[in-house]
Amino acid sequence: ETGVTQTPRHLVMGMTNKKSLKCEQHLGHNAMYWYKQSAKKPLELMFVYSLEERVENNSVPSRFSPECPNSSHLFLHLHTLQPEDSALYLCASSRGITNEKLFFGSGTQLSVL
Amino acid sequence: DQQVKQNSPSLSVQEGRISILNCDYTNSMFDYFLWYKKYPAEGPTFLISISSIKDKNEDGRFTVFLNKSAKHLSLHIVPSQPGDSAVYFCAAIVAGGGADGLTFGKGTHLIIQP
């Protein structure tokens, strides 16, 4: 496999559920990101990891919890979400934190009921 | 307040003609600009970029123009092909800011009519 792989592609969850989104990159990159894309809004950066250390957290609610166990894997743990959290969640990677060219996964389309 | 604006949510162009997608920005510190292309059910893919030291960058059918004084950039696709139908995102950054500082526009949905 090459590129950035995200699972699952679609997820429906209730507000009391706990679920996790998974991202894996096979590009040898050192930086990984979570973005949120809501309808008719720009891509919003949620979290940035560089060499497995979190370097950016854009005031994201604590019901979203990221985890980066190594430079190839990134998780987003979800709990007690709200319906307004329904969106496309995109994972991305780049060679380094100062490299602007992001490589995106296909995203997880999340619906919170 | 949006720092990167793509004011046309959608654009329809006939196959073979030129497609022009526009992007405006408000932060004069931005000095590197990128265009990403997104197909349905796929993530965005990098298309072309331009540094503020240039006013034009060309890659095959794709050309990006930068007008720093107007804080405006545009993506030209010529000739337009059916496979160009996608959502195009403009992004901007302050050099050295790293990808964590990328600011995206809302995107323009380009539809190429046969």
Side-chain angles (χ1 to χ4, degrees):
Chain A
E1 278 192 56
T2 58
V4 181
T5 305
Q6 286 187 247
T7 54
R9 293 294 301 271
H10 302 273
L11 179 62
V12 179
M13 59 187 288
M15 289 191 284
T16 57
N17 292 156
K18 288 185 181 181
K19 297 287 184 183
S20 296
L21 310 184
K22 179 183 175 183
C23 176
E24 185 174 0
Q25 58 97 358
H26 306 271
L27 300 168
H29 288 170
N30 290 321
M32 295 188 77
Y33 312 78
W34 280 115
Y35 278 86
K36 175 183 178 183
Q37 186 183 15
S38 304
K40 299 186 180 179
K41 284 189 176 181
L43 282 161
E44 301 171 51
L45 179 64
M46 299 176 73
F47 300 102
V48 182
Y49 278 83
S50 176
L51 296 169
E52 303 141 50
E53 289 197 18
R54 190 193 302 181
V55 296
E56 183 80 25
N57 173 359
N58 279 356
S59 302
V60 178
S62 59
R63 56 186 184 269
F64 295 92
S65 174
E67 179 190 0
C68 186
N70 55 62
S71 60
S72 298
H73 293 86
L74 186 65
F75 295 89
L76 188 62
H77 303 299
L78 317 171
H79 64 97
T80 59
L81 295 192
Q82 305 298 312
E84 59 265 28
D85 296 322
S86 297
L88 179 67
Y89 289 84
L90 289 160
C91 174
S93 70
S94 62
R95 278 205 308 271
I97 196 85
T98 57
N99 188 285
E100 296 85 2
K101 292 180 187 175
L102 299 176
F103 292 77
F104 285 88
S106 299
T108 295
Q109 187 65 54
L110 173 68
S111 297
V112 182
L113 304 178
Chain B
D1 184 36
Q2 266 192 277
Q3 297 187 68
V4 176
K5 298 179 185 177
Q6 293 177 258
N7 292 320
S8 298
S10 66
L11 175 67
S12 185
V13 174
Q14 200 167 8
E15 181 179 357
R17 307 296 271 274
I18 184 170
S19 296
I20 301 176
L21 295 96
N22 294 304
C23 179
D24 297 293
Y25 60 97
T26 57
N27 187 346
S28 57
M29 298 295 290
F30 287 146
D31 52 8
Y32 193 75
F33 305 89
L34 306 91
W35 284 94
Y36 282 83
K37 174 180 179 179
K38 184 182 183 301
Y39 291 119
E42 294 183 17
T45 55
F46 170 76
L47 188 59
I48 192 169
S49 62
I50 187 167
S51 164
S52 61
I53 61 173
K54 294 185 174 181
D55 54 18
K56 176 182 174 182
N57 188 24
E58 193 172 351
D59 183 3
R61 296 185 299 113
F62 302 91
T63 303
V64 56
F65 294 92
L66 175 62
N67 182 333
K68 290 186 290 292
S69 60
K71 294 193 183 70
H72 177 84
L73 65 155
S74 59
L75 174 68
H76 293 213
I77 306 172
V78 55
S80 300
Q81 297 175 355
D84 297 329
S85 295
V87 178
Y88 290 79
F89 293 97
C90 172
I93 192 169
V94 177
D100 56 312
L102 267 178
T103 301
F104 285 86
K106 290 184 181 180
T108 295
H109 185 194
L110 176 64
I111 301 161
I112 305 302
Q113 305 277 11

